Amino acid sequence: MRIVMALSMTVLALAASAAPAADHAKKGYVTKQGVYVPPARQTNPNNTKLDNYGTKGNVNPYTGKKGTKDPYKTKK
């Protein structure tokens, strides 16, 4: 029983320490046209588009909105 308890506590500690923050706060701002854009959360930059909140198949955990952008579509 002690071994199982120690093992589960070790696994939890490793999982907590190995999980980096997946997003960061983005400040609100006013555009040149005078439109206010409120603060939001944004995924941290990396080399993939597959894990962004706005990508199809993902859900924004803060708003509950499903992603709509196709990660494979190229800009023309």
Side-chain angles (χ1 to χ4, degrees):
M1 182 69 167
R2 283 184 177 168
I3 294 173
V4 173
M5 184 68 120
L7 182 59
S8 63
M9 291 181 72
T10 303
V11 169
L12 286 174
L14 287 174
S17 65
D23 58 25
H24 60 277
K26 188 93 165 141
K27 291 184 178 181
Y29 61 96
V30 178
T31 66
K32 290 180 182 179
Q33 292 77 23
V35 177
Y36 175 70
V37 178
R41 302 291 301 176
Q42 184 178 43
T43 52
N44 290 336
N46 57 17
N47 293 326
T48 181
K49 294 181 182 179
L50 298 175
D51 61 355
N52 295 335
Y53 294 148
T55 302
K56 285 182 184 176
N58 296 331
V59 176
N60 186 324
Y62 300 99
T63 63
K65 290 175 63 175
K66 292 182 180 180
T68 58
K69 296 180 183 176
D70 182 358
Y72 303 107
K73 184 178 179 182
T74 57
K75 292 185 180 180
K76 292 183 180 183

